[in-house]
Amino acid sequence: MTGRSADVDTATATATDTDADQQVFHRHRNLLFSVAYRILGTAADAEDAVQDAWIKWSAADRSQVAEPKAYLTRIVSNVALARLRSTRHQRETYVGPWLPEPILTTGDTAETVMDAESVSMAVLVVLETLSPLERAVFVLKEVFDFSHAEIAETLERSEAAVRQAAHRAREHVRARRPRFAADRTRQREVTERFFAATTGGDVNALMEVLSPDVTLWTDGGGKVRQAMRPVVGAQTVAAWFAAIGTVTYQGIGPADMRAELVEINGGPGMVFSGPDRVVATVTFDFGADGRISAIHNVANPDKLRAVAGGTAHGIGTR
């Protein structure tokens, strides 16, 4: 064999290995995004965490990796945890209520009710009140069903510390997120009625689907005009949404404002758009009676890029 042919064979083998490594990563990419997004609550940061995981995966000695899925999950979890800690101060000094960055999702990838619930805006808001470590542990344990020992190895903590963090996080979430969600068919029906009432400016019809003490949370991030505090009460919230079809919003007149029913964060939601941009998303939380108990309205343009991009994410946990 000549030196030239040996070089060609080596290059071919290297290219084949690289292709195989890319295929392995691509096979688990959706899972990695699902982990990172639940830990971080922002699509942009989650995508960055996945990209960092790819770089680390590419540089690693992959011949020593017995379980690529576990290895990649470990990388992305630690990257996401570090990124969450670094952004903590920005969120604490945020102008007005801080809401997660919404993403478009696909119903066929919501394998279980738990998958959809764990990526809902309501749950992500609750997770925001946990410490970074508690949040990462909760996501890995309660959503992805990792054992305490696996999480301890992944996050490089003692198993005792992980158990303690898991207990605190579980109790915290349980206290703030009672589990009595309406079934998905009922959620869709109520959302469609809300949609029709909003686009028709019908206050009375809106009142019928809202709980008396419904709370509206709006996130403009200081970039666009929004309520700086929660808006509470069916009458006030209904008036807020009924006015959408009658007033100019962010320079867009009523005739140019378009509303669309889509799936956002594992459940039915709405996207409001002008001729050239997405201006807001609306998602819902439902009470035991099936009526809307909370509304999350994201209008900060920095948080609408994932939705504007049009990519629908899978939210499965396996």
Side-chain angles (χ1 to χ4, degrees), residues 24 28 31-32 57 65-75 146 317-318:
V24 169
H28 299 302
L31 174 67
L32 301 183
W57 169 251
V65 178
E67 296 286 346
K69 179 180 177 181
Y71 184 84
L72 286 166
T73 303
R74 177 176 182 173
I75 292 175
F146 277 45
T317 57
R318 300 293 178 266

Side-chain angles (χ1 to χ4, degrees), residues 195 198-199 244 256-262 269-274:
F195 177 84
T198 297
T199 53
I244 288 177
D256 294 322
M257 184 69 76
R258 182 169 59 91
E260 182 182 4
L261 269 176
V262 296
M270 297 172 62
V271 174
F272 290 92
S273 304

Side-chain angles (χ1 to χ4, degrees), residues 194 203 206-207 210-216 218 227 229-244 295:
F194 182 95
V203 174
L206 282 167
M207 292 284 288
L210 298 175
S211 294
D213 57 351
V214 62
T215 302
L216 166 65
T218 66
R229 293 182 177 82
V231 179
V232 181
Q235 185 72 50
T236 307
V237 172
W240 172 291
F241 280 99
I244 288 177
I295 302 174

Side-chain angles (χ1 to χ4, degrees), residues 3-81:
R4 184 182 182 85
S5 62
D7 289 344
V8 171
D9 289 345
T10 300
T12 301
T14 300
T16 301
D17 289 344
T18 300
D19 289 343
D21 292 334
Q22 289 177 340
Q23 290 173 9
V24 169
F25 187 86
H26 181 73
R27 187 158 62 246
H28 299 302
R29 195 184 192 288
N30 184 67
L31 174 67
L32 301 183
F33 178 86
S34 293
V35 172
Y37 179 70
R38 286 170 170 89
I39 292 175
L40 289 160
T42 62
D45 285 336
E47 291 287 5
D48 286 346
V50 172
Q51 184 60 30
D52 287 348
W54 163 248
I55 293 171
K56 291 178 182 292
W57 169 251
S58 300
D61 181 1
R62 294 174 297 281
S63 65
Q64 302 300 311
V65 178
E67 296 286 346
K69 179 180 177 181
Y71 184 84
L72 286 166
T73 303
R74 177 176 182 173
I75 292 175
V76 84
S77 297
N78 279 290
V79 169
L81 180 56

Side-chain angles (χ1 to χ4, degrees), residues 23-269:
Q23 290 173 9
V24 169
F25 187 86
H26 181 73
R27 187 158 62 246
H28 299 302
R29 195 184 192 288
N30 184 67
L31 174 67
L32 301 183
F33 178 86
S34 293
V35 172
Y37 179 70
R38 286 170 170 89
I39 292 175
L40 289 160
T42 62
D45 285 336
E47 291 287 5
D48 286 346
V50 172
Q51 184 60 30
D52 287 348
W54 163 248
I55 293 171
K56 291 178 182 292
W57 169 251
S58 300
D61 181 1
R62 294 174 297 281
S63 65
Q64 302 300 311
V65 178
E67 296 286 346
K69 179 180 177 181
Y71 184 84
L72 286 166
T73 303
R74 177 176 182 173
I75 292 175
V76 84
S77 297
N78 279 290
V79 169
L81 180 56
R83 189 174 287 270
L84 180 60
R85 286 179 172 138
S86 70
T87 60
R88 200 68 171 179
H89 177 68
Q90 297 173 15
R91 299 185 186 190
E92 290 172 350
T93 57
Y94 194 77
V95 178
W98 188 96
L99 294 177
E101 182 180 352
I103 57 173
L104 300 175
T105 53
T106 53
D108 58 339
T109 56
E111 297 174 358
T112 67
V113 173
M114 178 60 182
D115 288 345
E117 172 76 0
S118 67
V119 81
S120 69
M121 297 292 272
V123 166
L124 292 177
V125 167
V126 173
L127 294 187
E128 192 64 23
T129 63
L130 301 175
S131 73
L133 177 62
E134 288 170 349
R135 181 168 186 165
V137 170
F138 181 88
V139 167
L140 293 174
K141 182 70 178 71
E142 301 297 325
V143 181
F144 292 91
D145 201 28
F146 277 45
S147 69
H148 292 113
E150 288 171 327
I151 298 172
E153 181 181 359
T154 295
L155 301 181
E156 299 178 345
R157 297 292 193 280
S158 70
E159 190 170 339
V162 165
R163 285 182 180 278
Q164 187 177 44
H167 176 74
R168 286 197 306 266
R170 186 168 52 251
E171 293 301 308
H172 185 95
V173 173
R174 188 175 294 162
R176 289 162 178 75
R177 181 62 184 162
R179 301 189 63 81
F180 48 65
D183 66 71
R184 292 177 69 81
T185 301
R186 172 65 174 165
Q187 290 180 14
R188 182 75 186 185
E189 175 197 338
V190 171
T191 301
E192 289 173 350
R193 290 172 61 190
F194 182 95
F195 177 84
T198 297
T199 53
D202 189 337
V203 174
N204 291 330
L206 282 167
M207 292 284 288
E208 291 177 2
V209 297
L210 298 175
S211 294
D213 57 351
V214 62
T215 302
L216 166 65
W217 302 84
T218 66
D219 179 345
K223 306 290 180 68
V224 297
R225 188 175 180 180
Q226 289 285 289
M228 298 298 289
R229 293 182 177 82
V231 179
V232 181
Q235 185 72 50
T236 307
V237 172
W240 172 291
F241 280 99
I244 288 177
T246 63
V247 299
T248 297
Y249 179 72
Q250 293 188 37
I252 300 170
D256 294 322
M257 184 69 76
R258 182 169 59 91
E260 182 182 4
L261 269 176
V262 296
E263 183 178 306
I264 301 177
N265 287 75

